[in-house]
Amino acid sequence: MDVNAAVAAAAAIAGVLTGVIAMLAFRWSEREQRRPTRTSLHIDPVLPPGVDTVLSVLRSSAVVLDEADAVVKASSAAYALGLVRGGKLAVEPMLQMARDTRRDGEIRQVELDLPRRGTGRGEALAVSARVAPLGSRLVLLLVEDLTEARRIEAVRRDFVANVSHELKTPVGALSLLSEAVMDASDDPEAVERFAGRMQIEATRLTNLVQELIDLSRVQNDDPLEDAEPVRVDELVAEAIDRCRHQAGTKQITMAAGGTADLRVWGNRGQLAAALGNLVENAVNYSPSRTRVGIAARRVRVPGGDLIEIAVTDQGIGISDKDKERIFERFYRVDPARSRATGGTGLGLAIVKHVVASHGGEITLWSAEGQGSTFTLRLPEAAAAREARDRAQQHPALDEEAGQALNEQSPYEPLPAPEVLP
């Protein structure tokens, strides 16, 4: 009996010890699972409080790197610029800057030119990168896109250089001609000849200054602040009247046609100047005894109808290489012809800015030796759309409006299908 009791006691003690050992093993296993390992620290680093919120509102592209150069946090702009790929910083100079900053804690900044993603033209992306330590283990990289600022600065420099050159030419000519007049004071015929040249150069200088003022105005002003419904027929008639003398000198026939009683929404003065520039260019670059046509029509597109105004000539045409630059300031397809006609190279730049500020666009079709067609596409005035819809829905109540909307222009249309694309 005593032996059995001893055996039972020993068994009980052994069971208690087994349970204690199992419980201790379970507790040790849980503690080991909760303990952060080097791998978990590398995969899931913790950003300092508030950093994530700050990075989300920054305009710059932001990237946070850990001690192994892995990306901990990156903004959507950083991915869009191609800075981060596959969880790594893809720009080697920036990666080296981050390593140097992690080593010595110094803030570094540099400007770089990076290849632009998604284009096969090798265009450079100008950026400014700034690297700073973030805590004891992390490094913050901020990247600012300077491409647009660089482009604007280049345009400004080119504009100043071009303006200086263009102003210097007529001013220099006036100075030389005035000296010639003084030297030929005893020769009435020479004085008259030089005075005529002075008038030409003075007119050229006046036109250049005026077009510079017009270009500055259309770039800085909002034309829709004083917008109103503008009749296309009146714009066409004004453009034709503006160029009537030049066209008559070269025996060029100007013809207008298309749909009558169209209206666009915008600044009447700017729209008249834009269309007038197109018609004037068509006359200047067309040979004698040809035709220039202006036609307007309505184009139905989703979101609201557009008004198309096309100016077609039978002139020298524009080559493919010139089409890409034709709307640049001071660019001339034929510089010799521009000097003869007094052109400044600003007319099409003004047209482009006017159309863009009115929510429209301008397109060009041209072939060398066949002529050119410039087409303005502008939003139709809302009042004109409402009147047309009312006339279509209730023709008996608005018969006069319906007749006006369907009436064709009395001008002879331009029969030049070989010129049109």
Side-chain angles (χ1 to χ4, degrees), residues 74-268:
S75 63
S76 57
Y79 287 98
L81 289 178
L83 304 179
V84 179
R85 300 177 190 172
K88 295 288 185 179
L89 186 62
V91 183
E92 184 61 31
M94 295 182 186
L95 187 59
Q96 187 59 46
M97 287 175 57
R99 291 168 179 168
D100 295 340
T101 297
R102 186 185 298 111
R103 184 181 64 254
D104 56 23
E106 294 290 333
I107 297 176
R108 288 175 169 81
Q109 184 169 352
V110 67
E111 293 188 1
L112 301 170
D113 290 333
L114 308 178
R116 189 187 295 271
R117 299 181 61 189
T119 64
R121 297 173 293 180
E123 296 179 349
L125 189 70
V127 298
S128 174
R130 185 178 179 87
V131 181
L134 187 64
S136 59
R137 296 185 303 107
L138 304 180
V139 173
L140 173 62
L141 172 67
L142 296 177
V143 180
E144 189 76 21
D145 187 359
L146 304 178
T147 306
E148 184 64 16
R150 291 269 188 90
R151 188 193 67 82
I152 293 175
E153 178 63 19
V155 170
R156 186 193 64 81
R157 288 197 305 267
D158 292 343
F159 181 73
V160 171
N162 288 329
V163 168
S164 302
H165 174 74
E166 295 294 333
L167 289 174
K168 182 175 64 176
T169 302
V171 170
L174 286 172
S175 177
L176 293 175
L177 289 170
S178 63
E179 293 179 4
V181 170
M182 294 176 63
D183 294 339
S185 57
D186 56 348
D187 187 350
E189 293 183 1
V191 170
E192 184 178 357
R193 183 171 68 255
F194 292 142
R197 291 291 306 277
M198 291 179 67
Q199 287 183 343
I200 294 174
E201 294 299 334
T203 301
R204 180 182 178 185
L205 181 60
T206 302
N207 293 338
L208 176 59
V209 172
Q210 184 59 50
E211 291 200 346
L212 286 172
I213 294 173
D214 293 340
L215 181 60
S216 176
R217 182 181 296 115
V218 300
Q219 287 180 318
N220 297 328
D221 294 347
D222 182 4
L224 300 184
E225 289 183 357
D226 301 322
E228 60 180 344
V230 181
R231 292 175 56 92
V232 176
D233 292 343
E234 295 178 357
L235 296 178
V236 172
E238 186 173 336
I240 291 177
D241 187 64
R242 169 179 167 178
C243 304
R244 192 178 303 279
H245 176 71
Q246 298 96 309
T249 303
K250 300 174 65 175
Q251 300 182 15
I252 293 176
T253 302
M254 290 191 294
T259 306
D261 202 36
L262 299 177
R263 290 176 173 84
V264 295
W265 183 258
N267 184 291
R268 190 184 189 286

Side-chain angles (χ1 to χ4, degrees), residues 5-19:
V7 171
I13 293 172
V16 171
L17 291 174
T18 302

Side-chain angles (χ1 to χ4, degrees), residues 267-289:
N267 184 291
R268 190 184 189 286
Q270 291 191 13
L271 292 173
L275 186 58
N277 286 345
L278 288 181
V279 176
E280 185 174 11
N281 275 0
V283 172
N284 289 336
Y285 284 89
S286 294
S288 300
R289 301 182 182 86

Side-chain angles (χ1 to χ4, degrees), residues 252-257 275 278-286 290-296 309-317 363-367 370-376 413-421:
I252 293 176
T253 302
M254 290 191 294
L275 186 58
L278 288 181
V279 176
E280 185 174 11
N281 275 0
V283 172
N284 289 336
Y285 284 89
S286 294
T290 55
R291 299 170 71 93
V292 171
I294 309 100
I309 309 174
V311 179
T312 302
D313 63 60
Q314 297 171 312
I316 61 176
T363 59
L364 166 64
W365 174 91
S366 184
Q370 298 185 37
S372 305
T373 298
F374 289 86
T375 303
L376 305 178
L414 178 66
E418 71 279 0
V419 176
L420 297 174

